[in-house]
Amino acid sequence: MDLSGADILDGGKAVRLRWSNGSAARFHAIWLRDNALDEATRDPGNGQRLISLADIPRDVAVERAEVGDASCTIGFSGGHETVFPSDWLFDKSYDRPDETRIWPEEVNLWQNGHAVHGDDLKSLRSDDRARRDWLAAVARDGVATVSGLEATSGSLEDVVRLFGHIRETNYGRWFEVRSEVNPSNLAYTNLGLQAHTDNPYRDPVPGLQILACLENTVEGGESAVVDGFAAAETLRREDPEGFEVLAAHPARFEYAGSSGVRLSAKRPIIERGPDGEVLAIRFNNRSMAAVTGVPFDAMDRWYAALRRLGEIIDAPASQVSFRLAPGEAFIVDNTRVLHARTAFSSSGSRWLQGCYADKDGLLSTLAALEAT
Ligand code: FE2
């Protein structure tokens, strides 16, 4: 977007820039100096900032603002001069009315009927565009599937290698999901598991989970996923106060199922950032500890809202179900999408392996692919 003019405001403390589409935005002198893109301010190689705030005078002012060809030259008090591309300034505008966004802009909320994006491991490895689209689906929908894995132990690492590194935990580099005698976790039984996010007792929680199937000849044992953001949005529309109470007070989660491990985290069911945007959902009844962070007067309300959120999550209208075959896997954004399984028979075998990875690595690989 081309600039059409610039006005110095308030003795140079700010500038109003006007664009050719009729829009305008104000920028502070301190912001412009701190974010200058020139070689004296940012390393031209790695883009990292070379100056600290202490290097900028407290009373820095704009003395000159000149609109040129797709750019704006700013001259500061003290003599520093820098040039900003107009598109860059347009993209970085922060002068807009206060608006509270509840859900991140890039996410697509979904319910039953959502077609989960899937691709074949071979194509994801060899075709950058296919890999980009698959990673974009994880970022947008919080879930995607992969087929064509070797049905051998550890093949789920091939999925993680598409974008990053395994996050090792007390469960190991990966963990086995099959029936065990004296299981250390209810996941290792043939019981059905209510939709949940994994490891809410970790801080931070693993951002991604991959579950890969090696054997599945049992009756039952279907997998299901639920968009926790969509479920929370349903709650918010039905009962804004209920949404608020789950976001405003911390729950507590614990795990001490194996010796030498006592994990605990105090975090809300619905976690928001400082701007009010939801960052994560934690929902795992098996791991919830006695909650003491909700005030007495709010506890009834908190339980009622949690019960309702659970009903929304359990409703068939929220769930997308599928049956994993050997060589198939799915990935979920564990800060958002819940996973479940139905109970299965004790005859036949069901063997899945699961592992965790970090979401920032996936988003980084996606951004790099998008930039090429
Ligand atoms: Fe799980």
Side-chain angles (χ1 to χ4, degrees):
M1 184 64 63
D2 280 344
L3 282 159
S4 60
D7 316 302
I8 294 176
L9 309 174
D10 203 10
K13 283 187 184 160
V15 177
R16 180 188 292 108
L17 298 179
R18 288 174 273 118
W19 278 275
S20 52
N21 69 351
S23 65
R26 294 166 299 172
F27 293 86
H28 291 91
I30 182 73
W31 189 97
L32 290 166
R33 179 62 196 93
D34 191 36
N35 291 295
L37 302 166
D38 54 69
E39 293 187 6
T41 311
R42 292 255 173 199
D43 184 283
N46 58 36
Q48 295 198 301
R49 189 183 272 107
L50 297 165
I51 62 165
S52 74
L53 207 45
D55 297 316
I56 304 174
R58 200 180 294 271
D59 57 354
V60 65
V62 172
E63 290 187 339
R64 195 164 73 87
E66 216 165 86
V67 168
D69 190 19
S71 68
C72 181
T73 303
I74 303 281
F76 297 96
S77 54
H80 190 80
E81 191 168 285
T82 196
V83 179
F84 290 100
S86 7
D87 282 343
W88 189 92
L89 288 165
F90 188 77
D91 286 345
K92 298 288 184 289
S93 165
Y94 57 90
D95 186 11
R96 49 181 175 265
D98 279 352
E99 52 179 49
T100 305
R101 187 192 292 285
I102 308 292
W103 306 107
E105 192 176 9
E106 62 278 11
V107 312
N108 164 49
L109 303 184
W110 51 263
Q111 292 180 311
N112 176 264
H114 169 66
V116 175
H117 182 89
D119 208 337
D120 181 76
L121 183 65
K122 208 165 144 192
S123 104
L124 292 170
R125 275 174 164 165
S126 59
D127 180 350
D128 275 356
R129 186 177 296 186
R131 194 154 56 106
R132 184 200 63 195
D133 291 349
W134 187 83
L135 297 173
V138 181
R140 183 187 66 235
D141 304 331
V143 60
T145 60
V146 197
S147 57
L149 273 70
E150 304 239 350
T152 51
S153 180
S155 62
L156 77 177
E157 288 209 45
D158 290 339
V159 179
V160 181
R161 283 192 198 100
L162 293 169
F163 60 82
H165 307 278
I166 281 200
R167 175 167 162 192
E168 210 165 317
T169 68
N170 58 297
Y171 298 109
R173 195 163 170 77
W174 67 71
F175 47 91
E176 311 289 342
V177 187
R178 54 180 163 188
S179 298
E180 287 179 6
V181 180
N182 297 325
S184 62
N185 191 304
L186 289 174
Y188 311 150
T189 66
N190 63 349
L191 299 172
L193 293 176
Q194 187 191 24
H196 60 277
T197 58
D198 261 31
N199 289 208
Y201 39 77
R202 285 182 182 284
D203 195 357
V205 296
L208 298 165
Q209 178 172 195
I210 293 96
L211 276 167
C213 177
L214 288 98
E215 291 173 9
N216 197 1
T217 57
V218 296
E219 301 250 347
E222 273 88 29
S223 302
V225 286
V226 175
D227 184 355
F229 282 8
E233 173 61 10
T234 303
L235 175 71
R236 193 178 76 89
R237 272 190 272 113
E238 278 183 12
D239 177 11
E241 213 184 292
F243 178 94
E244 186 57 34
V245 81
L246 291 182
H249 304 292
R252 204 156 60 82
F253 301 93
E254 281 177 355
Y255 175 77
S258 40
S259 73
V261 179
R262 296 191 79 83
L263 287 159
S264 173
K266 189 172 91 169
R267 289 278 167 173
I269 303 291
I270 299 168
E271 183 179 7
R272 294 183 294 207
D275 58 359
E277 195 171 280
V278 175
L279 300 174
I281 302 288
R282 286 172 179 77
F283 189 89
N284 189 323
N285 200 48
R286 283 174 290 142
S287 306
M288 200 152 80
V291 171
T292 55
V294 180
F296 181 89
D297 289 343
M299 190 61 91
D300 269 345
R301 196 75 195 78
W302 187 85
Y303 265 108
L306 184 60
R307 179 189 297 271
R308 183 61 194 135
L309 180 63
E311 287 168 356
I312 295 164
I313 285 167
D314 290 342
S318 299
Q319 308 220 346
V320 171
S321 306
F322 47 86
R323 184 180 175 83
L324 284 181
E328 292 178 346
F330 69 97
I331 181 170
V332 284
D333 175 346
N334 188 52
T335 65
R336 169 186 169 192
V337 171
L338 300 82
H339 57 284
R341 69 146 189 252
T342 57
F344 56 91
S345 60
S346 45
S347 62
S349 62
R350 184 179 190 271
W351 179 18
L352 265 57
Q353 288 184 329
C355 70
Y356 301 115
D358 290 324
K359 192 172 147 188
D360 59 356
L362 183 145
L363 296 177
S364 161
T365 304
L366 171 61
L369 284 168
E370 283 175 339
T372 55

